[in-house]
Amino acid sequence: MLIDTYGRVATDLRVSLTDRCNLRCTYCMPEEGLQWLAKPDLLTDDEIVRLIDLAVTHLGIEEVRFTGGEPLLRPGLVGIVERVAALEPRPQMSITTNGIGLKRTAAALKQAGLDRVNVSLDTLRPDVFKTLTRRNRHQDVLDGLEAASDAGLTPVKVNSVLMPGLNADEAPDLLAWALEHAYELRFIEQMPLDAQHGWKREGMVTAQDILASLRTRFELTEEGAGERGSAPAERWLVDGGPQRVGVIASVTRPFCAACDRTRLTADGQIRTCLFATEETDLRALLRSGAPDEEIAELWRKAMWGKKAGAGLDDPSFVQPDRPMSAIGG
């Protein structure tokens, strides 16, 4: 079991498969990209599967989410999914992706055992997409979403970040589009995870702003805390339901008290939080030939030291020294 001093139990493992990405989203990384991890520093496919196996069989992990960077850039992804699906007990598996490669991989991922997908899409306007991502790939994302739905990787969830002066007015249009396609839309407050540290709290589109915009067109009925559990999204029934919309208010309404996550970076570090400033190195222990129980014990110790919260609303908050592409969202 992975438990911390505040009684929180981690059952959800986020695994970053690569720090690389084929987009350059303005809220994540600079246009020229980053200094990528050297291949020897990355965990191998076998090492990733071993650590997931250990987490499932020794530490009580029930859900695995593959992230990046962009996880679809990992050459061995389908094989990793297939091997994790064969574990006993079998964890639930999902992936967070920009969707660009889903058209060609969705069916194979479903066959390998992937349960569902989260796709990032911030705008319905191709020109705004190009401005936000610095790439002209909007249609590829739409095609990827359709392929995921056709493959049965459902519920297909769409994550959207709204930015002032770019797409802040799109919340109602995004929701109408998601309802039409039976996607579950979740808006995420912009978090301070950009490599260039350009995030400013006063310039953020907040959960309150998003909900006010949505209510100009839709009736929203809050689901309530009982339905939410440890999920990060507060959810509302749209026009009486059954379809829903979520808002992840990481900054203005943090949900740290219910956090059930642990994170494995692409280079084999354990992070107790996206905003942690310290990491615990499992890769070195793994490559030294340590047995599973020794690695599991180090993982337990790392999680025992997890802090109470991220403190995003604290003026003294210090942004992490690694961008989201290297940590895994």
Side-chain angles (χ1 to χ4, degrees), residues 110-296:
K110 178 64 177 180
Q111 186 173 2
L114 193 71
D115 295 300
R116 62 172 191 83
V117 297
N118 285 31
V119 178
S120 299
L121 180 64
D122 302 324
T123 178
L124 298 176
R125 305 167 186 162
D127 59 325
V128 176
F129 182 92
K130 188 175 181 180
T131 299
L132 278 168
T133 67
R134 305 182 179 107
R135 297 291 187 270
N136 189 22
R137 307 297 298 273
H138 188 257
Q139 188 59 49
D140 293 326
V141 181
L142 298 180
D143 292 345
L145 280 160
E146 183 178 356
S149 182
D150 290 345
L153 292 169
T154 54
V156 174
K157 295 185 179 181
V158 177
N159 296 336
S160 297
V161 176
L162 299 182
M163 307 277 287
L166 286 171
N167 62 339
D169 62 333
E170 285 198 67
D173 290 339
L174 281 163
L175 181 52
W177 165 82
L179 295 174
E180 177 185 352
H181 291 85
Y183 303 146
E184 187 172 324
L185 180 63
R186 303 187 307 175
F187 292 99
I188 304 175
E189 287 183 338
Q190 184 194 359
M191 294 180 284
L193 289 167
D194 56 316
Q196 54 273 46
H197 288 186
W199 179 84
K200 290 182 172 59
R201 170 67 177 81
E202 59 271 17
M204 186 186 67
V205 179
T206 67
Q208 185 175 349
D209 298 331
I210 294 164
L211 292 170
S213 180
L214 291 175
R215 286 185 168 120
T216 64
R217 196 182 305 180
F218 302 96
E219 178 184 343
L220 303 181
T221 306
E222 190 169 4
E223 253 191 349
E227 295 290 333
R228 181 181 182 184
S230 60
E234 299 176 71
R235 296 184 300 193
W236 283 261
L237 296 174
V238 181
D239 293 337
Q243 290 176 292
R244 302 173 296 188
V245 64
V247 178
I248 300 177
S250 304
V251 178
T252 61
R253 296 202 286 266
F255 42 87
C256 301
C259 181
D260 64 349
R261 299 176 183 178
T262 183
R263 299 176 182 275
L264 178 65
T265 69
D267 55 349
Q269 311 299 305
I270 290 299
R271 293 181 72 95
T272 59
C273 173
L274 267 176
F275 302 96
T277 56
E278 298 176 347
E279 297 177 333
T280 300
D281 186 4
L282 295 188
R283 185 188 64 199
L285 200 58
L286 187 69
R287 292 181 178 177
S288 73
D292 283 356
E293 187 49 52
E294 186 177 347
I295 299 170

Side-chain angles (χ1 to χ4, degrees), residues 68-82:
E70 173 46 51
L72 296 183
L73 295 179
R74 178 87 185 202
L77 172 60
V78 172
I80 291 171
V81 170
E82 188 171 33

